[in-house]
Amino acid sequence: MPLVGFAGLTGWALLSQFWSHAPGRATIGFDRDLLYLLTFALFASVGATRARLTWAVRGVALAMAAVAAVSLISRVAPDVLSTSLPPSQTAAFPTR
């Protein structure tokens, strides 16, 4: 039943871009709600056995470690993995 509620919320967020004064924000909200829906569906589909739960926790821990490693590389060695915009795009984002 919660999955139906998440699906309704996600559909409502998608439809809200038609009457919103900021459709871009509504689209971002839809993306976030879709992520919540898919995450819930993924974890709800994992059976309640101890072995499956152990593998699910290991997978989440591995994903977290990968994100942390990429984040660390982007800060420690920015020449390897740059997160800054190219000079041609910096004019669109003025600094204060």
Side-chain angles (χ1 to χ4, degrees):
M1 195 64 173
L3 191 62
V4 175
F6 270 128
L9 175 67
T10 304
W12 187 259
L14 180 63
L15 288 175
S16 71
Q17 67 184 336
F18 292 117
W19 63 78
S20 175
H21 68 282
R25 284 186 169 188
T27 304
I28 291 171
F30 164 72
D31 291 343
R32 182 187 58 240
D33 293 341
L34 183 62
L35 175 67
Y36 293 161
L37 172 68
L38 294 176
T39 303
F40 182 78
L42 172 70
F43 284 104
S45 67
V46 174
T49 65
R50 185 168 180 84
R52 287 184 180 173
L53 185 61
T54 302
W55 279 106
V57 169
R58 287 178 184 166
V60 169
L62 181 64
M64 290 171 57
V67 169
V70 170
S71 300
L72 181 66
I73 290 171
S74 72
R75 297 298 181 185
V76 174
D79 56 327
V80 175
L81 184 63
S82 177
T83 58
S84 62
L85 293 173
S88 62
Q89 293 182 355
T90 55
F93 302 101
T95 58
R96 295 180 189 197

